[in-house]
Amino acid sequence: MKKIFLMGRSEAGKTSLTQALKGEELHYHKTQYTNTNEDTIDSPGEYAESKHFSVGLACFSFEADVIAIVQAANEPFNLFSDGSRNFLLRPLIGIITKVDSPHANIPMVRQWMENMGCERIFMVNNKTREGISELMDYLQDDLPKLTLEQAKFKQSLGLNEWDSMPEGVEYPESIRQNSNIHEK
């Protein structure tokens, strides 16, 4: 299972999401410090809200397999700039919470996430668990393990290590022989 790092504004639903992913009963708990366990890293909203603490987000991102921007569907503004994924060396996904809010503006939040470079966007309701199973299915798929040579080759093509190889492109024979892999 992929380890997910959750970042976003205070009260976006990050901690409730971790409880929903574990199947726990939801109870409000203000995250005062970064909480980590085997599957999730939950960060305080203040890390995203302050440029003085935001460097912590980049540091914690190296401990995860996937980074998730969590934003409530009723958020009044966006904390993350377009192209935010530039400082991340992990897949970036978006998770829209509070989709049942009467003040939800899902198209706007989705657009913000697309502008940030989120590769996939999930819509969840932590209370009803709507969308949680789809997110769990995504997290269950492990990222492929690559050798350094495979990663360098993908980078030479302008790809990230988790991107699929373009159709018709294969690893050079020397890399396939050294890694005992025959995938395209």
Side-chain angles (χ1 to χ4, degrees):
M1 181 167 186
K2 295 180 190 106
K3 187 170 191 169
I4 187 169
F5 174 48
L6 306 173
M7 63 177 161
R9 192 174 75 77
S10 294
E11 299 181 22
K14 299 178 301 295
T15 301
S16 297
L17 179 60
T18 62
Q19 294 167 359
L21 288 170
K22 294 177 191 174
E24 297 175 355
E25 187 175 320
L26 299 185
H27 59 280
Y28 179 75
H29 168 72
K30 172 65 181 118
T31 304
Q32 299 291 327
Y33 52 89
T34 302
N35 297 313
T36 184
N37 65 36
E38 57 196 44
D39 297 331
T40 58
I41 303 172
D42 182 13
S43 64
E46 290 80 5
Y47 281 25
E49 295 166 355
S50 168
K51 66 179 180 178
H52 298 296
F53 297 127
S54 61
V55 71
L57 295 176
C59 293
F60 283 110
S61 72
F62 292 110
E63 300 297 321
D65 297 314
V66 63
I67 312 302
I69 301 283
V70 180
Q71 290 187 296
N74 60 357
E75 297 236 3
F77 55 88
N78 182 17
L79 289 176
F80 302 96
S81 63
D82 294 357
S84 289
R85 78 156 308 31
N86 293 336
F87 75 93
L88 302 172
L89 299 175
R90 303 287 185 269
L92 178 66
I93 63 171
I95 302 174
I96 302 174
T97 59
K98 303 180 184 181
V99 295
D100 61 334
S101 169
H103 304 291
N105 189 345
I106 294 170
M108 180 180 65
V109 176
R110 177 179 288 281
Q111 186 63 56
W112 289 341
M113 290 182 167
E114 289 172 0
N115 292 348
M116 283 182 263
C118 292
E119 298 166 16
R120 288 197 55 187
I121 298 171
F122 299 89
M123 295 192 308
V124 302
N125 181 322
N126 294 331
K127 293 178 187 172
T128 65
R129 307 293 203 259
E130 175 188 347
I132 295 294
S133 62
E134 182 182 358
L135 178 57
M136 287 296 293
D137 289 345
Y138 169 79
L139 295 173
Q140 293 296 332
D141 289 338
D142 284 329
L143 294 171
K145 304 294 183 208
L146 299 179
T147 66
L148 179 60
E149 291 78 20
Q150 291 168 327
K152 285 180 179 179
F153 181 74
K154 280 189 162 188
Q155 288 175 350
S156 74
L157 298 175
L159 301 172
N160 290 310
E161 62 208 45
W162 57 88
D163 290 332
S164 299
M165 294 280 274
E167 190 172 323
V169 176
E170 296 182 12
Y171 290 110
E173 184 64 30
S174 60
I175 293 176
R176 287 197 312 258
Q177 287 176 348
N178 291 339
S179 61
N180 290 329
I181 107 160
H182 301 286
E183 76 176 76
K184 294 181 179 183

